[in-house]
Amino acid sequence: FLEKVVSQSNSPEDADILILGTMAVISACLPHILGVYADRTVYPNLFLFVTAKASSGKGRLALCRYIVEPIHDRLREINEAETIEYKHKLAEYNAAGKKKVDMEKPEEPPMRMLFIPANSSATAVYQVLGDNGGTGLMFETEGDTLANTFGSDYGNYSDGFRKAFHHETISYIRRKDREYVNIKNPRLSTLLTGTPRQVLNLITDAENGLFSRVIFYFLDLRLVWNDVFSTHSDTTLDEHFQRLGQEFHDFHTILEKSNDIRFSLTPSQAADFNERFSAWQTEYSDRCGDEFVASVRRLGLITFRLAMILSALRIMEDGIIEDRLTCLDTDYQSAMTMASVILRHNAHVFLTLPKADTAPSNNASSSKPCRQSSTVRPTQNSPPHSTSPPAPPTASSAVGAIPAN
Protein backbone atom coordinates (compact mmCIF):
# COMPACT_ATOMS: atom_id res chain seq x y z
CA PHE A 1 0.00 0.00 0.00
CA LEU A 2 2.80 2.43 0.90
CA GLU A 3 4.53 1.61 -2.39
CA LYS A 4 1.44 2.90 -4.19
CA VAL A 5 1.57 6.05 -2.08
CA VAL A 6 5.20 6.87 -2.89
CA SER A 7 4.90 5.88 -6.54
CA GLN A 8 3.73 9.46 -7.12
CA SER A 9 6.53 11.17 -5.18
CA ASN A 10 8.89 13.58 -6.92
CA SER A 11 11.85 13.43 -4.52
CA PRO A 12 13.11 11.39 -1.54
CA GLU A 13 11.80 14.10 0.80
CA ASP A 14 8.41 14.07 -0.90
CA ALA A 15 8.29 10.29 -0.45
CA ASP A 16 9.10 10.78 3.23
CA ILE A 17 6.26 13.18 3.94
CA LEU A 18 3.77 11.14 1.92
CA ILE A 19 4.67 8.03 3.95
CA LEU A 20 4.48 9.86 7.27
CA GLY A 21 1.30 11.68 6.25
CA THR A 22 -0.37 8.45 5.18
CA MET A 23 0.61 6.68 8.39
CA ALA A 24 -0.65 9.63 10.44
CA VAL A 25 -4.10 9.72 8.84
CA ILE A 26 -4.65 5.96 8.84
CA SER A 27 -3.51 5.79 12.47
CA ALA A 28 -6.97 7.20 13.29
CA CYS A 29 -8.68 4.52 11.19
CA LEU A 30 -7.41 1.16 12.42
CA PRO A 31 -10.26 -0.06 14.65
CA HIS A 32 -9.57 -3.01 16.95
CA ILE A 33 -5.78 -2.74 16.43
CA LEU A 34 -4.05 -2.34 19.80
CA GLY A 35 -0.92 -3.27 21.68
CA VAL A 36 0.59 -3.23 25.16
CA TYR A 37 3.43 -0.80 25.82
CA ALA A 38 4.85 -0.25 29.32
CA ASP A 39 1.99 -2.42 30.67
CA ARG A 40 -0.66 -0.08 29.20
CA THR A 41 -3.03 -0.65 26.29
CA VAL A 42 -2.15 1.67 23.42
CA TYR A 43 -3.53 2.34 19.96
CA PRO A 44 -1.83 3.38 16.70
CA ASN A 45 -2.57 7.14 16.85
CA LEU A 46 0.16 9.56 15.76
CA PHE A 47 0.71 13.34 15.93
CA LEU A 48 2.67 14.68 12.92
CA PHE A 49 3.87 18.21 12.14
CA VAL A 50 5.69 18.79 8.83
CA THR A 51 7.45 22.13 8.94
CA ALA A 52 9.03 24.02 6.06
CA LYS A 53 9.31 27.45 4.56
CA ALA A 54 6.61 28.56 2.16
CA SER A 55 6.50 26.70 -1.17
CA SER A 56 8.82 23.90 -0.02
CA GLY A 57 6.43 21.12 -0.98
CA LYS A 58 4.62 20.43 2.29
CA GLY A 59 1.31 21.22 0.59
CA ARG A 60 1.38 17.82 -1.10
CA LEU A 61 0.39 16.33 2.24
CA ALA A 62 -3.14 17.41 1.38
CA LEU A 63 -3.20 14.34 -0.89
CA CYS A 64 -3.15 12.13 2.21
CA ARG A 65 -6.59 13.39 3.17
CA TYR A 66 -8.06 11.47 0.23
CA ILE A 67 -6.93 8.18 1.80
CA VAL A 68 -9.39 8.47 4.68
CA GLU A 69 -11.97 10.82 3.18
CA PRO A 70 -14.36 7.96 2.19
CA ILE A 71 -14.52 6.99 5.87
CA HIS A 72 -15.44 10.55 6.84
CA ASP A 73 -18.00 10.77 4.01
CA ARG A 74 -19.66 7.53 5.10
CA LEU A 75 -19.95 8.78 8.68
CA ARG A 76 -21.49 12.05 7.46
CA GLU A 77 -24.03 10.11 5.36
CA ILE A 78 -25.00 8.06 8.41
CA ASN A 79 -25.30 11.24 10.44
CA GLU A 80 -27.52 12.91 7.84
CA ALA A 81 -29.86 9.90 7.75
CA GLU A 82 -30.03 9.81 11.56
CA THR A 83 -30.69 13.56 11.70
CA ILE A 84 -33.60 13.29 9.24
CA GLU A 85 -35.11 10.48 11.31
CA TYR A 86 -34.56 12.46 14.53
CA LYS A 87 -36.29 15.56 13.15
CA HIS A 88 -39.22 13.45 11.97
CA LYS A 89 -39.63 11.81 15.40
CA LEU A 90 -39.19 15.17 17.16
CA ALA A 91 -41.94 16.70 15.03
CA GLU A 92 -44.25 13.81 15.96
CA TYR A 93 -43.38 14.26 19.62
CA ASN A 94 -44.01 18.01 19.55
CA ALA A 95 -47.32 17.49 17.76
CA ALA A 96 -48.50 14.91 20.29
CA GLY A 97 -49.84 17.50 22.72
CA LYS A 98 -51.02 15.91 25.95
CA LYS A 99 -50.03 12.48 24.71
CA LYS A 100 -46.38 13.43 25.24
CA VAL A 101 -46.63 11.98 28.72
CA ASP A 102 -46.77 8.51 27.26
CA MET A 103 -43.98 9.18 24.75
CA GLU A 104 -40.23 9.28 25.11
CA LYS A 105 -38.59 12.41 23.71
CA PRO A 106 -36.23 11.42 20.86
CA GLU A 107 -32.54 11.91 21.50
CA GLU A 108 -30.41 13.97 19.18
CA PRO A 109 -28.12 11.66 17.17
CA PRO A 110 -24.36 11.74 17.68
CA MET A 111 -22.38 14.03 15.39
CA ARG A 112 -20.60 11.38 13.36
CA MET A 113 -17.41 12.45 11.56
CA LEU A 114 -13.73 11.62 11.25
CA PHE A 115 -12.21 15.06 10.59
CA ILE A 116 -12.40 17.43 13.56
CA PRO A 117 -11.86 21.10 12.62
CA ALA A 118 -8.97 22.50 14.67
CA ASN A 119 -10.65 25.90 15.02
CA SER A 120 -13.51 24.43 17.06
CA SER A 121 -14.20 25.29 20.68
CA ALA A 122 -12.86 22.95 23.34
CA THR A 123 -16.39 21.72 24.12
CA ALA A 124 -17.11 21.07 20.43
CA VAL A 125 -13.89 19.07 19.98
CA TYR A 126 -14.62 16.96 23.04
CA GLN A 127 -18.24 16.43 22.03
CA VAL A 128 -17.25 15.21 18.55
CA LEU A 129 -14.65 12.89 20.08
CA GLY A 130 -17.24 11.55 22.50
CA ASP A 131 -19.88 11.14 19.79
CA ASN A 132 -17.44 9.05 17.74
CA GLY A 133 -16.35 6.65 20.44
CA GLY A 134 -13.25 8.69 21.27
CA THR A 135 -11.87 8.54 17.71
CA GLY A 136 -10.99 11.56 15.57
CA LEU A 137 -8.48 13.10 13.17
CA MET A 138 -7.30 16.69 13.00
CA PHE A 139 -5.98 17.55 9.57
CA GLU A 140 -4.84 21.15 9.17
CA THR A 141 -2.49 22.52 6.50
CA GLU A 142 -1.90 25.70 8.48
CA GLY A 143 -0.38 25.13 11.91
CA ASP A 144 -1.55 28.59 13.01
CA THR A 145 -5.15 27.36 12.99
CA LEU A 146 -4.50 25.12 15.97
CA ALA A 147 -2.12 27.63 17.61
CA ASN A 148 -4.71 30.41 17.43
CA THR A 149 -7.38 28.12 18.85
CA PHE A 150 -5.14 27.12 21.76
CA GLY A 151 -4.51 30.81 22.39
CA SER A 152 -8.21 31.66 22.65
CA ASP A 153 -10.41 31.49 25.73
CA TYR A 154 -13.00 29.24 24.10
CA GLY A 155 -10.67 26.83 22.34
CA ASN A 156 -7.79 26.02 24.67
CA TYR A 157 -8.01 22.23 24.66
CA SER A 158 -4.24 21.70 24.66
CA ASP A 159 -4.52 19.73 27.90
CA GLY A 160 -7.00 17.34 26.27
CA PHE A 161 -4.70 17.15 23.26
CA ARG A 162 -1.82 16.02 25.45
CA LYS A 163 -4.02 13.55 27.34
CA ALA A 164 -5.23 12.01 24.09
CA PHE A 165 -1.67 11.05 23.13
CA HIS A 166 -1.61 8.60 26.06
CA HIS A 167 -5.34 7.74 25.81
CA GLU A 168 -5.97 9.34 29.21
CA THR A 169 -9.59 10.09 30.11
CA ILE A 170 -10.81 13.55 29.07
CA SER A 171 -13.62 15.08 31.13
CA TYR A 172 -15.80 18.06 30.26
CA ILE A 173 -19.21 19.61 30.96
CA ARG A 174 -21.76 19.60 28.15
CA ARG A 175 -23.41 22.98 28.74
CA LYS A 176 -26.61 22.31 26.81
CA ASP A 177 -27.69 19.42 29.03
CA ARG A 178 -25.57 20.36 32.07
CA GLU A 179 -24.06 16.91 31.72
CA TYR A 180 -20.68 15.69 32.99
CA VAL A 181 -19.00 13.60 30.30
CA ASN A 182 -15.98 11.28 30.39
CA ILE A 183 -14.23 10.29 27.17
CA LYS A 184 -12.41 7.08 27.99
CA ASN A 185 -9.48 5.93 25.83
CA PRO A 186 -9.53 8.91 23.45
CA ARG A 187 -7.84 8.00 20.17
CA LEU A 188 -6.96 11.25 18.42
CA SER A 189 -4.56 11.52 15.48
CA THR A 190 -3.21 14.75 14.05
CA LEU A 191 -1.54 15.95 10.87
CA LEU A 192 -0.35 19.55 10.75
CA THR A 193 1.83 21.50 8.37
CA GLY A 194 3.30 24.94 8.81
CA THR A 195 6.33 27.17 8.71
CA PRO A 196 9.02 27.14 11.42
CA ARG A 197 7.46 30.30 12.82
CA GLN A 198 4.12 28.51 13.12
CA VAL A 199 5.82 25.78 15.15
CA LEU A 200 6.86 28.49 17.62
CA ASN A 201 3.33 29.85 17.71
CA LEU A 202 2.04 26.41 18.71
CA ILE A 203 4.91 25.31 20.94
CA THR A 204 6.34 28.43 22.51
CA ASP A 205 9.25 26.95 24.43
CA ALA A 206 11.34 23.81 24.91
CA GLU A 207 9.46 22.79 28.07
CA ASN A 208 6.05 22.61 26.37
CA GLY A 209 4.73 19.09 26.94
CA LEU A 210 3.16 18.93 23.48
CA PHE A 211 6.54 18.96 21.73
CA SER A 212 7.62 15.50 22.89
CA ARG A 213 4.35 13.98 21.67
CA VAL A 214 4.79 15.09 18.05
CA ILE A 215 6.69 13.64 15.10
CA PHE A 216 8.42 16.57 13.41
CA TYR A 217 9.73 16.49 9.88
CA PHE A 218 11.75 19.48 8.70
CA LEU A 219 11.45 19.87 4.93
CA ASP A 220 14.32 21.93 3.58
CA LEU A 221 13.81 24.33 0.68
CA ARG A 222 15.17 22.84 -2.56
CA LEU A 223 16.06 25.31 -5.31
CA VAL A 224 14.77 22.94 -7.98
CA TRP A 225 12.02 23.78 -10.44
CA ASN A 226 9.83 20.72 -10.91
CA ASP A 227 8.58 20.10 -14.42
CA VAL A 228 4.87 20.73 -13.97
CA PHE A 229 4.10 19.13 -17.35
CA SER A 230 6.26 16.04 -16.95
CA THR A 231 3.44 13.49 -16.76
CA HIS A 232 1.28 12.45 -19.67
CA SER A 233 -0.92 10.10 -17.64
CA ASP A 234 -4.68 10.41 -17.81
CA THR A 235 -4.80 9.90 -14.03
CA THR A 236 -4.25 12.95 -11.83
CA LEU A 237 -2.69 12.83 -8.38
CA ASP A 238 -6.10 13.51 -6.88
CA GLU A 239 -7.61 10.53 -8.69
CA HIS A 240 -4.70 8.27 -7.71
CA PHE A 241 -5.09 9.04 -4.02
CA GLN A 242 -8.88 8.85 -4.21
CA ARG A 243 -8.51 5.28 -5.50
CA LEU A 244 -6.19 4.50 -2.61
CA GLY A 245 -8.88 5.94 -0.35
CA GLN A 246 -11.45 3.49 -1.69
CA GLU A 247 -8.99 0.64 -1.23
CA PHE A 248 -8.29 1.64 2.37
CA HIS A 249 -12.00 2.17 3.04
CA ASP A 250 -12.65 -1.47 2.13
CA PHE A 251 -9.91 -2.55 4.55
CA HIS A 252 -11.31 -0.30 7.28
CA THR A 253 -14.74 -1.91 6.85
CA ILE A 254 -13.19 -5.35 7.38
CA LEU A 255 -11.37 -4.20 10.53
CA GLU A 256 -14.58 -2.68 11.92
CA LYS A 257 -16.22 -6.11 11.86
CA SER A 258 -13.26 -7.93 13.42
CA ASN A 259 -12.49 -8.65 17.04
CA ASP A 260 -9.61 -6.94 18.83
CA ILE A 261 -6.22 -7.66 17.25
CA ARG A 262 -3.32 -7.46 19.70
CA PHE A 263 0.00 -6.37 18.24
CA SER A 264 3.36 -7.26 19.81
CA LEU A 265 7.07 -7.36 19.13
CA THR A 266 9.06 -10.59 19.30
CA PRO A 267 11.33 -11.09 22.35
CA SER A 268 14.45 -10.37 20.28
CA GLN A 269 12.89 -7.22 18.82
CA ALA A 270 11.90 -6.05 22.30
CA ALA A 271 15.44 -6.58 23.58
CA ASP A 272 16.92 -4.65 20.65
CA PHE A 273 14.29 -1.91 21.13
CA ASN A 274 15.25 -1.40 24.78
CA GLU A 275 18.97 -1.41 23.98
CA ARG A 276 18.69 1.16 21.21
CA PHE A 277 16.44 3.55 23.08
CA SER A 278 18.61 3.33 26.18
CA ALA A 279 21.60 4.38 24.06
CA TRP A 280 19.64 7.16 22.34
CA GLN A 281 18.40 8.48 25.68
CA THR A 282 21.95 8.82 26.99
CA GLU A 283 23.32 10.30 23.77
CA TYR A 284 20.60 12.87 23.19
CA SER A 285 20.55 13.89 26.84
CA ASP A 286 24.24 14.75 26.48
CA ARG A 287 23.73 16.58 23.20
CA CYS A 288 20.39 18.34 23.71
CA GLY A 289 20.01 18.46 27.47
CA ASP A 290 17.64 16.79 29.91
CA GLU A 291 14.65 18.64 28.44
CA PHE A 292 14.92 16.47 25.32
CA VAL A 293 14.75 13.19 27.27
CA ALA A 294 10.93 13.29 27.19
CA SER A 295 11.10 13.36 23.39
CA VAL A 296 13.30 10.25 23.29
CA ARG A 297 11.08 8.40 25.72
CA ARG A 298 7.84 9.26 23.93
CA LEU A 299 9.48 8.39 20.62
CA GLY A 300 9.65 4.87 22.01
CA LEU A 301 5.85 4.76 22.10
CA ILE A 302 5.65 6.45 18.69
CA THR A 303 8.01 3.84 17.22
CA PHE A 304 5.90 1.03 18.68
CA ARG A 305 2.89 2.64 16.99
CA LEU A 306 4.75 2.93 13.67
CA ALA A 307 5.54 -0.80 13.81
CA MET A 308 1.90 -1.48 14.69
CA ILE A 309 0.68 0.45 11.63
CA LEU A 310 3.16 -1.25 9.28
CA SER A 311 2.07 -4.62 10.64
CA ALA A 312 -1.62 -3.75 10.27
CA LEU A 313 -1.04 -2.86 6.63
CA ARG A 314 0.28 -6.39 6.13
CA ILE A 315 -3.27 -7.58 6.74
CA MET A 316 -4.28 -5.69 3.59
CA GLU A 317 -1.63 -7.64 1.72
CA ASP A 318 -2.37 -11.18 2.89
CA GLY A 319 -5.97 -10.84 4.08
CA ILE A 320 -5.30 -12.90 7.21
CA ILE A 321 -6.94 -11.60 10.39
CA GLU A 322 -6.03 -13.26 13.69
CA ASP A 323 -6.34 -12.11 17.27
CA ARG A 324 -2.53 -11.86 17.54
CA LEU A 325 -0.40 -9.73 15.23
CA THR A 326 3.35 -10.27 15.62
CA CYS A 327 5.71 -7.76 14.06
CA LEU A 328 7.85 -9.05 11.20
CA ASP A 329 11.57 -8.30 11.42
CA THR A 330 11.29 -6.30 8.19
CA ASP A 331 8.61 -4.03 9.65
CA TYR A 332 10.47 -3.72 12.94
CA GLN A 333 13.65 -2.60 11.17
CA SER A 334 11.60 -0.19 9.06
CA ALA A 335 10.05 1.38 12.17
CA MET A 336 13.44 1.68 13.90
CA THR A 337 15.00 3.27 10.82
CA MET A 338 12.19 5.79 10.73
CA ALA A 339 12.66 6.44 14.45
CA SER A 340 16.37 7.22 14.04
CA VAL A 341 15.52 9.80 11.39
CA ILE A 342 12.58 11.28 13.32
CA LEU A 343 14.91 11.66 16.29
CA ARG A 344 17.24 13.87 14.24
CA HIS A 345 14.36 15.92 12.87
CA ASN A 346 12.89 16.40 16.35
CA ALA A 347 16.30 17.40 17.71
CA HIS A 348 16.66 19.99 14.96
CA VAL A 349 13.28 21.55 15.71
CA PHE A 350 13.91 21.34 19.47
CA LEU A 351 17.12 23.34 19.15
CA THR A 352 15.21 26.17 17.43
CA LEU A 353 12.84 26.54 20.40
CA PRO A 354 13.62 29.16 23.05
CA LYS A 355 14.10 28.10 26.63
CA ALA A 356 11.12 28.64 28.90
CA ASP A 357 12.63 31.81 30.40
CA THR A 358 13.55 33.45 27.09
CA ALA A 359 11.49 35.11 24.40
CA PRO A 360 11.03 33.55 20.97
CA SER A 361 13.63 34.52 18.40
CA ASN A 362 13.73 34.39 14.63
CA ASN A 363 16.25 31.56 14.62
CA ALA A 364 13.62 29.00 13.64
CA SER A 365 13.01 30.61 10.28
CA SER A 366 16.65 31.20 9.39
CA SER A 367 18.63 28.31 10.83
CA LYS A 368 20.36 26.04 8.34
CA PRO A 369 20.56 22.36 9.17
CA CYS A 370 23.65 20.21 8.94
CA ARG A 371 24.10 18.03 5.89
CA GLN A 372 23.37 14.39 6.59
CA SER A 373 21.09 11.64 5.35
CA SER A 374 17.55 12.21 6.59
CA THR A 375 14.97 10.31 4.62
CA VAL A 376 12.52 8.25 6.60
CA ARG A 377 11.91 5.67 3.91
CA PRO A 378 12.66 2.48 5.80
CA THR A 379 15.44 0.12 4.89
CA GLN A 380 15.43 -3.62 5.34
CA ASN A 381 19.18 -3.62 5.99
CA SER A 382 19.56 -0.83 8.50
CA PRO A 383 22.38 -1.13 11.05
CA PRO A 384 21.28 -2.79 14.28
CA HIS A 385 22.47 0.10 16.45
CA SER A 386 22.03 3.45 14.73
CA THR A 387 23.10 6.02 17.32
CA SER A 388 24.61 8.67 15.06
CA PRO A 389 24.75 12.22 16.45
CA PRO A 390 21.72 14.46 16.01
CA ALA A 391 21.98 15.80 12.48
CA PRO A 392 19.28 18.32 11.62
CA PRO A 393 17.63 17.09 8.44
CA THR A 394 18.16 18.21 4.90
CA ALA A 395 17.89 16.91 1.35
CA SER A 396 19.50 13.53 0.82
CA SER A 397 19.40 10.40 -1.23
CA ALA A 398 17.08 7.53 -0.33
CA VAL A 399 18.26 5.19 2.41
CA GLY A 400 16.42 2.09 1.35
CA ALA A 401 13.35 0.37 0.04
CA ILE A 402 9.78 0.85 1.16
CA PRO A 403 8.36 -2.25 2.83
CA ALA A 404 6.00 -4.03 0.47
CA ASN A 405 2.63 -3.48 2.08
Side-chain angles (χ1 to χ4, degrees):
F1 186 78
L2 293 180
E3 285 181 334
K4 295 176 185 177
V5 169
V6 299
S7 68
Q8 303 301 308
S9 61
N10 57 30
S11 70
E13 296 78 18
D14 188 48
D16 287 356
I17 64 171
L18 288 177
I19 288 173
L20 287 174
T22 298
M23 295 182 75
V25 297
I26 69 175
S27 73
C29 304
L30 293 171
H32 299 292
I33 303 288
L34 54 89
V36 175
Y37 184 90
D39 296 325
R40 303 293 299 273
T41 300
V42 297
Y43 303 89
N45 306 83
L46 301 174
F47 293 175
L48 171 66
F49 196 131
V50 174
T51 175
K53 295 178 182 178
S55 191
S56 294
K58 62 184 182 295
R60 282 169 62 88
L61 276 167
L63 295 167
C64 298
R65 184 185 176 101
Y66 288 128
I67 294 175
V68 293
E69 205 159 50
I71 298 171
H72 175 78
D73 292 343
R74 179 168 58 84
L75 290 171
R76 296 307 300 148
E77 288 171 6
I78 294 171
N79 182 249
E80 287 173 13
E82 289 176 339
T83 301
I84 291 171
E85 184 181 358
Y86 163 72
K87 288 180 177 178
H88 177 70
K89 289 182 176 179
L90 184 63
E92 288 181 343
Y93 176 81
N94 290 333
K98 295 180 179 179
K99 295 180 180 178
K100 282 183 184 178
V101 233
D102 302 320
M103 298 174 65
E104 187 176 341
K105 185 176 180 179
E107 289 187 9
E108 193 171 351
M111 192 180 296
R112 301 185 191 277
M113 63 179 68
L114 174 63
F115 296 114
I116 304 176
N119 59 356
S120 306
S121 69
T123 303
V125 169
Y126 295 154
Q127 182 172 340
V128 171
L129 265 181
D131 283 355
N132 291 274
T135 298
L137 170 63
M138 282 192 179
F139 191 112
E140 292 292 342
T141 54
E142 292 296 335
D144 270 351
T145 303
L146 187 60
N148 292 338
T149 305
F150 280 1
S152 67
D153 292 333
Y154 71 90
N156 190 0
Y157 51 86
S158 59
D159 61 329
F161 208 79
R162 294 191 299 271
K163 287 179 179 178
F165 178 83
H166 289 293
H167 316 299
E168 296 172 5
T169 299
I170 297 173
S171 303
Y172 74 101
I173 300 293
R174 186 177 289 167
R175 295 177 185 174
K176 181 180 176 182
D177 303 316
R178 298 173 60 85
E179 181 185 2
Y180 180 82
V181 181
N182 274 333
I183 305 172
K184 297 180 179 180
N185 291 322
R187 297 173 299 286
L188 176 67
S189 298
T190 305
L191 190 157
L192 303 171
T193 70
T195 64
R197 171 56 58 185
Q198 289 174 328
V199 174
L200 283 179
N201 291 341
L202 180 65
I203 301 174
T204 54
D205 60 67
E207 291 186 3
N208 188 301
L210 181 57
F211 179 85
S212 60
R213 292 164 166 83
V214 177
I215 297 170
F216 285 95
Y217 188 92
F218 180 87
L219 189 62
D220 205 3
L221 180 65
R222 297 167 59 244
L223 290 177
V224 176
W225 179 267
N226 291 323
D227 184 354
V228 295
F229 306 109
S230 60
T231 179
H232 301 288
S233 170
D234 291 333
T235 304
T236 65
L237 282 174
D238 302 271
E239 291 169 338
H240 176 78
F241 278 85
Q242 284 166 358
R243 289 175 184 172
L244 291 179
Q246 289 301 325
E247 185 178 335
F248 184 75
H249 176 265
D250 293 342
F251 176 57
H252 177 265
T253 303
I254 292 171
L255 287 182
E256 277 187 315
K257 297 174 182 176
S258 73
N259 296 320
D260 285 350
I261 302 169
R262 180 165 168 169
F263 166 80
S264 63
L265 301 179
T266 66
S268 61
Q269 291 167 359
D272 179 73
F273 183 100
N274 288 327
E275 186 177 347
R276 286 206 222 185
F277 272 95
S278 177
W280 281 338
Q281 178 175 255
T282 301
E283 179 181 354
Y284 279 83
S285 174
D286 292 341
R287 293 182 178 275
C288 299
D290 289 345
E291 290 173 340
F292 193 70
V293 170
S295 293
V296 179
R297 291 178 176 176
R298 288 197 170 108
L299 181 61
L301 174 54
I302 290 168
T303 304
F304 184 77
R305 287 169 169 165
L306 290 171
M308 192 187 307
I309 295 167
L310 291 173
S311 299
L313 287 175
R314 293 284 178 188
I315 300 174
M316 287 184 71
E317 180 182 317
D318 56 33
I320 300 172
I321 298 181
E322 299 176 340
D323 59 358
R324 296 280 179 172
L325 180 62
T326 303
C327 189
L328 298 179
D329 286 340
T330 298
D331 293 334
Y332 171 74
Q333 291 297 339
S334 293
M336 293 303 291
T337 301
M338 296 172 78
S340 68
V341 174
I342 292 167
L343 197 50
R344 293 196 287 270
H345 283 250
N346 283 17
H348 168 65
V349 176
F350 177 81
L351 293 173
T352 67
L353 296 175
K355 298 295 182 182
D357 55 351
T358 61
S361 68
N362 291 323
N363 292 340
S365 59
S366 60
S367 59
K368 285 296 287 184
C370 302
R371 297 282 164 185
Q372 184 160 337
S373 175
S374 69
T375 53
V376 302
R377 291 193 289 165
T379 174
Q380 297 181 13
N381 299 305
S382 57
H385 300 285
S386 176
T387 54
S388 55
T394 183
S396 69
S397 59
V399 298
I402 303 296
N405 39 19

Coordinates of all heavy atoms in Angstrom, one line a residue, residues 6 8 34 51 61 172 176 201 218 341 364 385 403:
V6 N 4.0 6.2 -2.5 CA 5.2 6.9 -2.9 C 5.5 6.8 -4.4 O 6.4 7.4 -4.9 CB 6.4 6.4 -2.1 CG1 6.2 6.6 -0.6 CG2 6.7 4.9 -2.4
Q8 N 4.0 8.1 -6.5 CA 3.7 9.5 -7.1 C 4.6 10.5 -6.5 O 4.4 11.7 -6.8 CB 2.3 9.8 -6.9 CG 1.3 8.8 -7.4 CD 1.4 8.6 -8.9 OE1 1.4 9.6 -9.7 NE2 1.5 7.4 -9.3
L34 N -4.6 -2.9 18.5 CA -4.1 -2.3 19.8 C -2.8 -3.1 20.2 O -2.5 -4.2 19.6 CB -5.1 -2.4 20.9 CG -5.8 -3.8 21.1 CD1 -5.0 -4.6 22.2 CD2 -7.2 -3.6 21.6
T51 N 7.1 20.7 8.9 CA 7.4 22.1 8.9 C 8.4 22.5 7.8 O 9.4 21.7 7.6 CB 8.0 22.6 10.3 OG1 8.4 24.0 10.2 CG2 9.2 21.8 10.7
L61 N 1.0 17.2 1.2 CA 0.4 16.3 2.2 C -1.1 16.3 2.2 O -1.8 15.4 2.7 CB 0.8 16.8 3.6 CG 2.2 16.3 4.1 CD1 2.7 17.0 5.3 CD2 2.1 14.8 4.4
Y172 N -15.3 16.7 30.5 CA -15.8 18.1 30.3 C -17.3 18.1 30.6 O -17.9 17.1 30.8 CB -15.6 18.4 28.8 CG -16.5 17.7 27.8 CD1 -17.6 18.4 27.3 CD2 -16.3 16.4 27.4 CE1 -18.5 17.8 26.4 CE2 -17.1 15.8 26.5 CZ -18.2 16.5 26.0 OH -19.1 15.8 25.1
K176 N -25.2 22.4 27.2 CA -26.6 22.3 26.8 C -27.4 21.5 27.8 O -28.5 21.9 28.2 CB -26.7 21.7 25.4 CG -28.1 21.7 24.8 CD -28.1 21.1 23.4 CE -29.5 20.9 22.9 NZ -29.6 20.3 21.6
N201 N 4.6 29.4 17.3 CA 3.3 29.9 17.7 C 2.6 28.8 18.5 O 1.8 29.1 19.4 CB 2.5 30.3 16.5 CG 3.1 31.6 15.9 OD1 3.9 32.3 16.5 ND2 2.7 31.9 14.7
F218 N 11.3 18.2 9.2 CA 11.8 19.5 8.7 C 12.1 19.3 7.2 O 13.0 18.6 6.8 CB 13.0 20.0 9.5 CG 13.5 21.3 8.9 CD1 13.0 22.5 9.4 CD2 14.5 21.4 8.0 CE1 13.4 23.7 9.0 CE2 14.9 22.6 7.5 CZ 14.4 23.8 8.0
V341 N 15.6 8.6 12.2 CA 15.5 9.8 11.4 C 14.6 10.8 12.1 O 15.0 12.0 12.2 CB 15.0 9.5 10.0 CG1 14.8 10.8 9.2 CG2 16.0 8.6 9.2
A364 N 14.3 30.1 14.2 CA 13.6 29.0 13.6 C 13.4 29.2 12.2 O 13.4 28.2 11.4 CB 12.3 28.8 14.3
H385 N 22.4 -0.9 15.4 CA 22.5 0.1 16.4 C 22.8 1.4 15.8 O 24.0 1.8 15.8 CB 23.5 -0.3 17.5 CG 23.2 -1.6 18.2 ND1 22.2 -1.7 19.1 CD2 23.7 -2.8 18.0 CE1 22.2 -3.0 19.5 NE2 23.1 -3.7 18.8
P403 N 8.9 -0.9 2.6 CA 8.4 -2.3 2.8 C 7.2 -2.5 1.9 O 6.3 -1.6 1.7 CB 8.0 -2.2 4.3 CG 7.7 -0.8 4.6 CD 8.7 0.0 3.8

